[in-house]
Amino acid sequence: MNGMNIFQALLVSHGAQRELTARLLASKPSSAERQQVFEALKAELAAHETAEERCFYVPLMQHDESVDLSRHAIAEHHVMDEMVEHLEQVDPHAAEWQECCEKLCDKIEHHLAEEEQKFFPQAGEVLSEEQKLQLAKDYEAEFTTLRIKQEA
Ligand SMILES: [Fe+2]
Ligand SMILES: [Fe+2]
């Protein structure tokens, strides 16, 4: 979309993640929906994390003011990846599944809120207006490419 800045572009996936986590938490243990929504969340999260790292946090690493926030966010991406991997190993009918799913969804919400409320405003001070528009284009292209690779 024309004129979107990087923050608006990142928020599209944040919205999708929130919708998917809500559906996952509400899904029935034996339902096909639980598996489908889990796969959709896993794919959305993976593409978003990588595209966000390449087109948002790597450029932010160039500035002294935003090294720490970038490290923090990328470390959280790694933690969420491990939680997804763990959940894949758990029997969807077991009580442990619901528990791990809630932990993962809480972690995702914490991460999204921290990015939106803390890191985006900080990044807003560091990136130029031109960069904010260019990074949105870079991010969208990268995200789309990653999603196509996942479908292949
Ligand atoms: Fe993130
Ligand atoms: Fe994000």
Side-chain angles (χ1 to χ4, degrees):
M1 254 173 269
N2 283 335
M4 239 197 219
N5 67 35
I6 181 62
F7 308 115
Q8 293 164 323
L10 294 170
L11 283 172
V12 175
S13 177
H14 287 196
Q17 289 170 48
R18 285 191 170 102
E19 197 190 312
L20 289 165
T21 54
R23 281 176 59 197
L24 189 61
L25 287 167
S27 66
K28 302 263 184 304
S30 310
S31 64
E33 207 209 351
R34 175 166 286 189
Q35 197 53 37
Q36 281 165 11
V37 175
F38 178 69
E39 291 302 326
L41 178 63
K42 187 183 155 188
E44 181 73 33
L45 203 57
H48 176 70
E49 286 175 352
T50 302
E52 189 177 61
E53 286 169 14
R54 288 179 175 161
C55 306
F56 185 59
Y57 290 119
V58 166
L60 285 170
M61 281 278 189
Q62 306 301 321
H63 302 267
D64 293 344
E65 306 94 304
S66 43
V67 168
D68 286 347
L69 72 86
S70 303
R71 269 186 202 145
H72 183 105
I74 292 169
E76 283 196 353
H77 289 173
H78 179 63
V79 171
M80 292 188 287
D81 290 348
E82 288 188 331
M83 292 171 94
V84 167
E85 274 175 41
H86 178 72
L87 197 55
E88 280 183 301
Q89 311 297 321
V90 178
D91 175 1
H93 296 88
E96 193 195 351
W97 190 93
Q98 194 68 30
E99 204 179 293
C100 291
C101 181
E102 281 170 20
K103 278 188 194 154
L104 170 66
C105 294
D106 282 353
K107 184 74 188 171
I108 292 172
E109 182 46 41
H110 158 85
H111 179 74
L112 299 178
E114 192 170 34
E115 287 186 324
E116 291 166 11
Q117 291 161 26
K118 204 169 152 195
F119 299 161
F120 290 5
Q122 289 173 356
E125 314 241 309
V126 166
L127 302 169
S128 71
E129 295 309 308
E130 195 189 337
Q131 248 181 324
K132 287 172 198 171
L133 297 174
Q134 184 57 50
L135 291 176
K137 292 193 182 90
D138 297 347
Y139 166 81
E140 284 178 334
E142 189 65 30
F143 181 81
T144 303
T145 303
L146 291 164
R147 291 307 308 258
I148 290 166
K149 281 187 196 166
Q150 286 171 345
E151 300 297 321

